[in-house]
Amino acid sequence: MSSRLVLVIGDLFIPDRAAFKKLLTPGKIGQVLCLGNLTDKETYEFLRELAPDLQIVKGNFDVDAPNLALSKVVTHGSLRIGFTHGHSIIPPGDADSLLISARHMDVDVLLWGGTHRFEAYELEGKFFVNPGSATGALSTGWLPDGEEPTPSFCLMDVQGDVLVLYVYQLKTDANGVENVGVEKVSFRKSSNQAAS
């Protein structure tokens, strides 16, 4: 069974702070799912060059793109993956509200943005992922006082009913040296979900 890498990225805002550009090379990624707040044409062109399939949803600051959908669904393997910016989820980032959205979209995986903070968890057999902000854009109200946003994005590798998520985060050590850390998180669609 073939798989392709899917880039999950959002809340870009400050394209000149995109420290990850050198890690993302055309030809390796099959699809880009952009969770909104692209905000400039140069970043759009960069994402378009990365993969033949670029899917974008509208963020709350994508004012020059009034025709973008608020949410979309794609299918990889046996997984239905929904994605949205997150500004339409009330209360924002709330697990129960995200679960309601996932059920409404009839998806196994829900990707959302807006908080500028990476999160991944399972709830009631569904997998929820927020890739954070690729540029580490500041956010009001989402981070504890004194905590700086950590630039991050995700790559998904889907094979059948298994999704392997690679989380890339740009961390700064005590000496001010930046390093990219990669974590791996896996999700398997339950067999009773696969049958329904």
Side-chain angles (χ1 to χ4, degrees):
M1 179 173 297
S2 67
S3 69
R4 66 178 178 167
L5 286 177
V6 179
L7 172 64
V8 182
I9 195 165
D11 292 310
L12 295 145
F13 286 110
I14 313 165
D16 59 330
R17 282 185 29 194
F20 296 117
K21 280 188 175 181
K22 60 185 173 256
L23 296 176
L24 301 171
T25 56
K28 305 233 185 243
I29 297 168
Q31 183 178 56
V32 175
L33 303 180
C34 180
L35 308 183
N37 288 342
L38 200 55
T39 69
D40 78 320
K41 187 166 176 57
E42 292 77 21
T43 305
Y44 170 83
E45 294 300 332
F46 172 74
L47 294 177
R48 171 68 61 210
E49 291 172 8
L50 280 180
D53 186 1
L54 172 59
Q55 301 288 325
I56 305 172
V57 292
K58 184 177 180 64
N60 54 333
F61 286 94
D62 290 322
V63 295
D64 292 332
N67 296 326
L68 288 175
L70 289 176
S71 64
K72 288 185 177 182
V73 175
V74 296
T75 301
H76 288 279
S78 68
L79 296 176
R80 286 180 45 86
I81 301 168
F83 60 107
T84 185
H85 173 260
H87 68 283
S88 60
I89 295 174
I90 310 287
D94 177 71
D96 289 332
S97 297
L98 289 163
L99 181 59
I100 290 168
S101 293
R103 287 177 177 156
H104 177 75
M105 295 170 76
D106 190 25
V107 296
D108 306 298
V109 178
L110 181 64
L111 312 171
W112 90 98
T115 66
H116 305 195
R117 184 180 195 169
F118 167 74
E119 262 185 276
Y121 60 90
E122 280 187 59
L123 180 63
E124 294 190 20
K126 298 188 183 299
F127 190 47
F128 297 86
V129 177
N130 185 327
S133 167
T135 60
L138 292 175
S139 177
T140 57
W142 296 109
L143 300 174
D145 285 342
E147 184 177 324
E148 293 292 319
T150 300
S152 59
F153 70 89
C154 298
L155 281 174
M156 295 188 309
D157 184 11
V158 181
Q159 296 185 21
D161 61 354
V162 176
L163 181 152
V164 178
L165 184 72
Y166 298 93
V167 183
Y168 291 76
Q169 294 182 311
L170 184 66
K171 300 194 177 184
T172 306
D173 68 17
N175 298 322
V177 177
E178 292 182 334
N179 294 298
V180 176
V182 182
E183 294 177 45
K184 180 175 146 181
V185 181
S186 297
F187 168 76
R188 177 183 296 272
K189 182 176 180 177
S190 68
S191 58
N192 61 351
Q193 278 183 291
S196 60

